């Protein structure tokens, strides 16, 4: 890079020439566009990557297993958040979060068993 030296009143700074500034701004704009396009692509592709393909999605069990895999990660995040709340002194909120996530996890994990039980008594 070609820098111009500015010596004014015994004060020196390095300044870029105007052409270099313009070319750098164009590079930054291109990088923003690429990053933006990459983020959009990842956001659109992620749900498709996490779901079973059309060929193997012929049963409810495959879909349920995929949803439960994602749900397991969410439960872990809530437990981590509850632990952080506990550490920061919000103990009642942490207990409330833990009870809620445990009950929700048990219901979601045993949804098929509950469905089968309700079918058997009906």
């Amino acid at each position: 890079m070609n820098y111009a030296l500015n010596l004014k009143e015994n004060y020196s700074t390095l300044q870029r020439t105007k052409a270099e500034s313009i070319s750098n701004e164009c590079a930054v704009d291109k990088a923003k566009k690429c990053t933006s396009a990459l983020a959009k692509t990842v956001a659109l592709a992620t749900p498709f990557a996490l779901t079973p393909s059309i060929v193997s999605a012929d049963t409810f069990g495959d879909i349920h297993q995929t949803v439960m895999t994602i749900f397991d990660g969410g439960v872990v995040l809530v437990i981590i958040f509850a632990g952080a709340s506990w550490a920061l002194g919000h103990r009642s909120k942490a207990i409330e979060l833990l009870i809620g996530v445990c009950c929700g996890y048990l219901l979601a994990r045993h949804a098929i068993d509950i469905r089968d039980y309700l079918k058997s008594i009906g």
Side-chain angles (χ1 to χ4, degrees), residues 14-80:
L14 289 176
Q15 295 179 344
R16 290 189 194 172
T17 61
K18 188 172 184 176
E20 287 176 343
S21 295
I22 291 173
S23 70
N24 192 20
E25 288 173 4
C26 291
V28 169
D29 287 341
K30 287 179 185 175
K32 284 182 182 176
K33 287 179 184 175
C34 288
T35 306
S36 164
L38 178 64
K40 289 178 185 174
T41 303
V42 169
L44 290 174
T46 301
F48 295 114
L50 293 175
T51 57
S53 65
I54 300 299
V55 175
S56 66
D58 56 347
T59 63
F60 175 77
D62 293 337
I63 296 171
H64 181 262
Q65 183 61 35
T66 304
V67 170
M68 287 310 299
T69 303
I70 296 169
F71 190 71
D72 289 340
V75 168
V76 170
L77 290 175
V78 172
I79 291 172
I80 291 170

Side-chain angles (χ1 to χ4, degrees), residues 90-114:
H90 303 287
R91 285 167 175 63
S92 60
K93 183 65 177 175
I95 291 171
E96 178 183 338
L97 282 171
L98 284 173
I99 291 172
V101 77
C102 289
C103 292
Y105 183 77
L106 287 172
L107 285 173
R109 182 53 72 181
H110 295 288
I112 294 176
D113 299 331
I114 294 168

